[in-house]
Amino acid sequence: MQRLPFTKMHGLGNSYIYINAIETDMTGVDLAELAQQISNVNTGIGSDGLILIAPSEIADVKMIMYNKDGSEGKTCGNGLRCVAKYSYENQLVTSKTFAIETKAGLVDAEVSFIEDQVDVVTINMGEPLLNRSQIPMLGKEQEKIVNEPFQIGDQLLQLTAVSMGNPHAIFFVEDINAAPLYELGPIITNDSRFPEGVNVEFVEIVNEREMNFRVWERGSGVTQACGTGACAATVAAILNGYAPKNGAVTVHLDGGDLEIRLDQHNQVWMTGAAEVTATGTYQLNR
Ligand SMILES: N[C@H](CCC[C@H](N)C(=O)O)C(=O)O
């Protein structure tokens, strides 16, 4: 019976079970299966998925991320903030700025403190990808998908698609509380026009500096927050003229607020909280 030390952490309620794979040998463990098991709120610990903090040859640490359904994600904004917090507080890194490797590439993290605890983390999430082939999305229309008609069943929506290393379909609505999140989220996330699936976001513009946001995540369903989604939604708002370029936007997610900024070098910066919920040991092979 293998016992796995874990830390449960969340970014605005978007929680994952984190395993330090630098100290715990995960060789031979089926990570997709483990993600499904450990995420189960009844027979597991309960989370939106599994994240390993692993050795990296090109950065200070590596994040390996799985959604609740066992699908592997290429990157995860809330996960990156928690990986940064854990890495600093557990001496995996010594500087307060360091690099994290993901399947979508390298990101730079900076941790800031209240007393000796990491309270807020800023991540440079890199450059948004806008071309149809980069999302990826099928179709022969124009390369960038900005306010494009998107027929789903008997409803015609306006789609803006952005990749932050993972795919996001953003729909602007008048009232976030009336957004068809549970009706259309599970349908759009598996729509064949997105060959790798897609994270689905509904966004209500409050003003040019604020937006309300809800998400149906690829592989996890409705979560309390989605960091890459908040980045993608901010880029989409700028593309549609709802927010100023190089502006800072406060994104109000179900679980709290993220500060997102697109700088003059086309880099997307995300700042927000990262919190530890619990530590313990998980019994594998049950
Ligand atoms: N479901 C996403 C990964 C997690 C993203 C989200 N939790 C975040 O904070 O960015 C995907 O399959 O692309």
Side-chain angles (χ1 to χ4, degrees):
M1 176 89 66
Q2 190 179 351
R3 294 176 183 278
L4 295 176
F6 72 84
T7 302
K8 181 171 181 179
M9 293 189 276
H10 70 91
L12 310 184
N14 181 211
S15 70
Y16 294 92
I17 306 304
Y18 293 76
I19 292 176
N20 179 339
I22 298 169
E23 292 176 0
T24 302
D25 181 8
M26 295 298 284
T27 309
V29 176
D30 179 337
L31 296 177
E33 176 60 33
L34 177 59
Q36 295 176 73
Q37 277 182 12
I38 211 164
S39 302
N40 186 303
V41 70
N42 297 308
T43 57
I45 298 169
S47 69
D48 294 321
L50 168 70
I51 289 181
L52 266 56
I53 301 168
S56 170
E57 293 178 5
I58 57 172
D60 294 280
V61 292
K62 175 160 68 174
M63 179 182 76
I64 300 168
M65 185 266 163
Y66 283 82
N67 294 302
K68 182 158 58 174
D69 69 352
S71 61
E72 187 171 6
K74 288 187 175 168
T75 184
C76 175
N78 291 313
L80 281 164
R81 296 199 315 280
C82 291
V83 165
K85 175 185 176 70
Y86 180 96
S87 299
Y88 188 83
E89 290 182 350
N90 291 274
Q91 292 83 42
L92 302 183
V93 297
T94 52
S95 162
K96 69 175 196 170
T97 58
F98 47 91
I100 303 174
E101 178 189 354
T102 75
K103 280 193 90 166
L106 292 185
V107 298
D108 291 326
E110 178 171 4
V111 295
S112 52
F113 310 83
I114 291 184
E115 287 147 18
D116 61 343
Q117 291 286 307
V118 171
D119 178 56
V120 163
V121 182
T122 295
I123 306 271
N124 176 350
M125 295 294 287
E127 193 163 341
L129 305 172
L130 303 178
N131 290 342
R132 191 176 291 275
S133 58
Q134 293 173 311
I135 301 301
M137 184 178 180
L138 305 181
K140 295 196 175 20
E141 296 77 8
Q142 80 287 350
E143 262 311 277
K144 288 184 175 42
I145 306 157
V146 180
N147 199 34
E148 180 178 293
F150 183 82
Q151 187 75 39
I152 187 85
D154 60 359
Q155 299 189 54
L156 182 62
L157 307 178
Q158 299 297 125
L159 167 68
T160 299
V162 175
S163 171
M164 291 304 301
N166 60 348
H168 296 272
I170 295 110
F171 301 95
F172 292 100
V173 295
E174 288 302 313
D175 176 1
I176 196 70
N177 296 313
L181 183 67
Y182 289 91
E183 175 200 353
L184 296 183
I187 299 170
I188 297 170
T189 196
N190 292 316
D191 188 284
S192 58
R193 287 165 279 188
F194 298 102
E196 295 178 7
V198 71
N199 299 285
V200 185
E201 283 91 10
F202 293 94
V203 176
E204 173 192 350
I205 297 295
V206 175
N207 58 54
E208 65 173 23
R209 294 266 186 257
E210 279 187 272
M211 62 173 70
N212 294 325
F213 169 107
R214 300 203 74 193
V215 61
W216 181 285
E217 281 200 32
R218 175 179 66 172
S220 292
V222 173
T223 61
Q224 288 292 296
C226 179
T228 51
C231 295
T234 299
V235 171
I238 293 169
L239 290 170
N240 282 278
Y242 300 143
K245 191 162 168 42
N246 306 339
V249 172
T250 299
V251 181
H252 301 300
L253 304 98
D254 289 354
D257 292 352
L258 286 174
E259 298 302 325
I260 310 292
R261 179 172 60 86
L262 179 67
D263 73 12
Q264 68 274 28
H265 306 296
N266 205 30
Q267 300 293 298
V268 183
W269 295 82
M270 169 189 64
T271 299
E275 297 176 66
V276 174
T277 305
T279 58
T281 53
Y282 177 74
Q283 295 184 2
L284 201 56
N285 307 327
R286 291 165 308 124

